Amino acid sequence: MDRTTIRTRRLMTLATAAVMAFGVGACSSDKNDSAEESGHSGPVKMEFWGWAGYEKIVDQWNAAHPDAKVTFKKIPSGPKGGYTQISNAITAGKGPCLAQIEYQNLPSMLVKNSVMDITKYASDGMDKYVPSAVSSSSVGGKIYGVPVDVGPMVLYYRKDLFAKYDITKPPATWAAYKADAEKVNAADSSVKFGTVLADAGSLASFTLQTGQSWYSAKGDSWTVSIDNSGTRKVASYWQDLKDQGLVAKHGSAWDPQFNKASEAGKVLTFVAPAWAAGGLKSDLKGEAGKWRVAPMPTWKAGDGTSASGGGSATSVMTGCKTPREAVQFADFLSSDPQAVKTGIEGGLYPASKAGQDDPSLTGGDPYFGGQKVGDVYKTSAAQVPSTWTNGPTFQQVDTDFTGALAKGTLPQAVTKVQASTVTAIKKLGLSVTNG
């Protein structure tokens, strides 16, 4: 898995429940209806664009469906030019029938009239997927993609270093997390219990756990609420840990700085999605058997509420002449047992409920000392709130947050991005207010 894909996954997953702007719905309906009513007879050929390693799954589909051939075209990840490439191709009348779309980018693609409403074809099969993924693939009660994968958040921790610093169990609450961080700091200030929250994607995931959302929409008007009580709570908590020197400055899996600190025994934990296990296994092979996985700490003891980071859907694009067959392929990619297994082998954690029970996920994992980490992932995925609403300017939020954080504190960055996001949505010609 390349670093571009990892960066893309880190950004965030956002369970979508918004009512989209009226103008967007009206704009997309005529084209969608004409495509759906056109019908198709004879062999079907469809193009599928994306950046994940879907080649083997496409081959599996083609072998089983000779009259509905799919050709996969690998493009740059969405934020690295993929979405622009898709939109430009659709405008030119040369777009793909299907495309990989990250959950958080569905609203912006809908604003561009790039994705098709597939409720008519997909609604009966949505119960196969975890609720948060279904919500993430929907806007205003309509389905715009078949969910593929999710990123349930967990706490990765070093069992050997826990023993060294006399920490008997992983922290179940954020209060316990801070107490453990203080304990480690008192023993050796050069060692950090965890890693700092440093990007918009992480802040979104931690806010999701509080049950708050950054957006809401009613009719044709958006409300931006990035600077809400949940986000402020999260920002203040992590800024406090940073100010006290209790957390490391550098990220998590796949981060060279984190890897160096881990190899030196200087960091004990990090909070990240299930797919981050792949980074540990690829970059820190020598630490096999030392790492374990625990539930994400919660704000209230016994609460169990988790969060998610990353994930995408397979969407049918505007102009596709065979939407029924396109949805059939998308459903195959996400729920066929062999296809799901292939995806798991490629590093995806499935949105499919049945897929989460695949033997490759339910058995003991040697890297984690034989722990059945799939059980932790599955429990987390089932406890992700479906309260989040995606907004139409995700890339702007990520860029602005990074810039603001470079010049100030987390709480200050939250306030600045609240204002810049309202401005950005106004520039799209949409009605928007401060929440």
Side-chain angles (χ1 to χ4, degrees):
M1 190 177 299
D2 61 37
R3 291 186 183 276
T4 297
T5 303
I6 299 311
R7 169 60 180 161
T8 297
R9 283 187 175 187
R10 276 182 179 155
L11 294 179
M12 61 167 138
T13 190
L14 312 167
T16 310
V19 177
M20 199 62 181
F22 173 78
V24 173
C27 179
S28 62
S29 61
D30 292 342
K31 289 186 178 181
N32 290 352
D33 289 346
S34 64
E36 291 173 5
E37 292 171 1
S38 64
H40 191 92
S41 59
V44 171
K45 292 183 179 181
M46 300 177 285
E47 277 199 358
F48 172 34
W49 293 9
W51 54 92
Y54 289 145
E55 292 89 344
K56 289 184 179 180
I57 298 176
V58 170
D59 289 342
Q60 291 164 359
W61 163 269
N62 287 334
H65 303 82
D67 292 330
K69 184 178 180 180
V70 173
T71 301
F72 182 65
K73 177 181 178 180
K74 202 152 193 178
I75 61 173
S77 68
K80 298 297 183 179
Y83 294 133
T84 299
Q85 189 172 334
I86 292 169
S87 296
N88 289 344
I90 291 173
T91 300
K94 298 179 180 180
C97 202
L98 300 121
Q100 177 183 358
I101 307 293
E102 297 160 288
Y103 298 134
Q104 72 271 11
N105 282 291
L106 274 173
S108 61
M109 294 299 282
L110 187 53
V111 166
K112 297 176 182 178
N113 193 33
S114 295
V115 292
M116 184 182 293
D117 174 7
I118 58 172
T119 309
K120 176 179 178 180
Y121 305 109
S123 60
D124 288 344
M126 287 296 103
D127 59 350
K128 291 183 288 191
Y129 308 105
V130 294
S132 62
V134 176
S135 181
S136 295
S137 303
S138 307
V139 177
K142 295 181 179 180
I143 302 169
Y144 290 93
V146 177
V148 178
D149 63 316
V150 291
M153 300 286 282
V154 295
L155 175 76
Y156 294 91
Y157 70 97
R158 284 278 296 271
K159 184 179 180 181
D160 59 324
L161 295 181
F162 267 41
K164 179 178 179 179
Y165 292 99
D166 194 30
I167 298 175
T168 59
K169 60 182 179 180
T173 65
W174 290 115
Y177 181 98
K178 182 180 179 181
D180 286 340
E182 291 171 336
K183 184 175 184 178
V184 171
N185 186 65
D188 186 345
S189 61
S190 71
V191 178
K192 307 302 177 185
F193 185 71
T195 58
V196 71
L197 188 160
D199 58 62
S202 297
L203 182 61
S205 291
F206 283 95
T207 300
L208 170 62
Q209 188 187 35
T210 71
Q212 296 288 314
S213 178
W214 284 356
Y215 303 91
S216 62
K218 184 176 182 180
D220 61 353
S221 180
W222 285 94
T223 298
V224 177
S225 305
I226 294 174
D227 195 2
N228 64 57
S229 60
T231 305
R232 289 195 296 271
K233 180 179 183 178
V234 170
S236 296
Y237 175 86
W238 287 97
Q239 186 64 47
D240 178 50
L241 294 183
K242 181 180 179 180
D243 290 345
Q244 293 188 49
L246 301 179
V247 288
K249 297 180 180 179
H250 299 284
S252 58
W254 284 287
D255 183 332
Q257 296 284 355
F258 170 83
N259 292 341
K260 183 178 180 180
S262 182
E263 290 170 341
K266 296 295 186 179
V267 62
L268 278 69
T269 75
F270 68 98
V271 180
W275 47 259
L280 293 177
K281 294 177 181 180
S282 65
D283 290 2
L284 295 171
K285 295 182 177 67
E287 295 180 10
K290 296 180 179 180
W291 286 93
R292 297 291 186 274
V293 180
M296 181 182 188
T298 60
W299 292 103
K300 293 182 179 180
D303 178 24
T305 303
S306 190
S308 185
S312 63
T314 305
S315 294
V316 180
M317 311 311 292
T318 299
C320 178
K321 302 303 182 183
T322 55
R324 184 187 302 277
E325 291 84 353
V327 170
Q328 289 171 350
F329 166 76
D331 188 62
F332 174 92
L333 186 154
S334 296
S335 64
D336 175 81
Q338 187 55 48
V340 170
K341 183 181 290 293
T342 301
I344 292 171
E345 292 170 354
L348 300 178
Y349 186 76
S352 162
K353 296 175 185 176
Q356 293 177 8
D357 289 325
D358 185 270
S360 63
L361 294 174
T362 57
D365 190 321
Y367 186 89
F368 294 102
Q371 180 187 4
K372 293 184 177 181
V373 295
D375 291 347
V376 185
Y377 301 151
K378 182 179 179 180
T379 298
S380 174
Q383 298 186 91
V384 176
S386 296
T387 54
W388 191 278
T389 297
N390 281 323
T393 60
F394 167 69
Q395 287 305 124
Q396 163 265 319
V397 171
D398 183 55
T399 299
D400 288 1
F401 184 82
T402 300
L405 191 57
K407 300 178 181 178
T409 66
L410 277 163
Q412 288 170 345
V414 169
T415 299
K416 288 182 178 180
V417 176
Q418 166 74 26
S420 66
T421 302
V422 170
T423 299
I425 294 178
K426 284 182 179 178
K427 288 181 179 179
L428 291 176
L430 301 174
S431 175
V432 60
T433 59
N434 275 295

